[in-house]
Amino acid sequence: MKLTSARALAALALPAAILLSSCATPESRIRTGLVRAGLSEPMAGCMARTLTDRLSNAQLRRIATLTDGRGIDPNRTTVSEMVRHLSTLGDPEILRAATASAISCAI
């Protein structure tokens, strides 16, 4: 490959990566946020599936703002602490869905 072709390919790689990351599904964004907040990969994946099935996009965005790590210690977050944090959003539907998903994913 010529050097100019390699440069052109490298120049396209970053925008392509940015475009692909912006196409992330709500489920993957919620899962990533839950993992960053301290939940295990399996628990976060299970809860993300349930939450995205039960909640609206607006509610999922509210969860994402909470699980971006602000005020949550990822080294000490338990599932019950995560549900408690989600309850601070003041949305009973989010709380019901989070509690139900935490219970169903734990068994």
Side-chain angles (χ1 to χ4, degrees):
M1 184 183 305
K2 294 182 181 179
L3 186 56
T4 55
S5 297
R7 284 186 183 152
L9 184 60
L12 291 174
L14 182 59
I18 291 170
L19 285 173
L20 286 174
S21 69
S22 68
C23 294
T25 65
E27 182 180 326
S28 67
R29 287 192 300 266
I30 295 298
R31 182 181 60 247
T32 300
L34 292 171
V35 168
R36 274 194 225 133
L39 295 185
S40 69
E41 286 275 348
M43 179 60 89
C46 180
M47 286 184 70
R49 272 189 305 281
T50 305
L51 292 172
T52 53
D53 286 344
R54 294 183 179 194
L55 300 174
S56 71
N57 285 334
Q59 290 169 314
L60 294 172
R61 281 191 295 276
R62 290 189 66 206
I63 291 172
T65 64
L66 181 70
T67 59
D68 66 3
R70 290 178 290 162
I72 298 174
D73 182 356
N75 297 317
R76 297 181 355 169
T77 300
T78 63
V79 174
S80 61
E81 287 178 42
M82 180 56 63
V83 171
R84 186 180 57 78
H85 284 293
L86 291 169
S87 74
T88 65
L89 294 174
D91 185 327
E93 193 174 357
I94 290 175
L95 182 57
R96 276 193 300 275
T99 303
S101 70
I103 291 168
S104 68
C105 293
I107 25 183

